[in-house]
Amino acid sequence: MQIAMVDEVFANASAEQATSFFEAVGRRLAAALVLPSDDWLLPLEHAINGFWQPLGLGHVSLAIDKDGIAIIHDHHAAIGAARSPAWPQATAAVVFGAYCAWFAALGGAGAFHTRLVQQTSDQLVIHHGV
């Protein structure tokens, strides 16, 4: 059913509209995760991976870089990519939307931005920082 819904959205909306829709879904899903109260990356990484695992949407590695935080998310499309050409686009947008929401909730709005750096069929490279 999920694949049929994804395919239907991409069939009846522009790519930009469909992507925006699935990013909004990701932001909505992100609200279900209570972020760790400390400011260490490892507990955040564990919490996020615990969120993605039951959804079958891959896993993340977080690392500090010179301008912020590098977010490497692998296997976001693993469960449906073979059955739908739109699935990787939808899951990438959901995952990106969730990271945007989580990092906005951690603070620094205005000074820091979350942006997609690179996207392949099964990996997202996202940066949060300046």
Side-chain angles (χ1 to χ4, degrees):
M1 185 167 102
Q2 292 171 335
I3 289 173
M5 290 187 333
V6 165
D7 288 344
E8 192 64 21
V9 169
F10 276 93
N12 289 289
S14 69
E16 183 178 307
Q17 290 169 326
T19 299
S20 293
F21 171 77
F22 286 109
E23 285 178 9
V25 170
R27 287 189 297 276
R28 183 174 298 269
L29 282 173
L33 176 63
V34 176
L35 297 172
S37 59
D38 59 29
D39 59 354
W40 295 92
L41 277 189
L42 193 56
L44 179 60
E45 183 178 300
H46 287 311
I48 292 172
N49 281 325
F51 180 81
W52 292 129
Q53 191 274 327
L55 297 175
L57 292 176
H59 61 275
V60 70
S61 297
L62 302 176
I64 300 290
D65 68 15
K66 67 181 180 84
D67 295 323
I69 299 171
I71 304 159
I72 310 298
H73 190 100
D74 290 307
H75 307 298
H76 64 86
I79 63 172
R83 299 186 313 223
S84 168
W87 186 260
Q89 294 169 288
T91 58
V94 166
V95 166
F96 179 70
Y99 287 114
C100 288
W102 288 326
F103 283 97
L106 292 173
F112 299 113
H113 305 281
T114 305
R115 62 184 169 81
L116 184 62
V117 175
Q118 182 181 8
Q119 178 179 342
T120 66
S121 62
D122 209 32
Q123 183 183 70
L124 300 175
V125 178
I126 301 167
H127 185 265
H128 177 74
V130 292

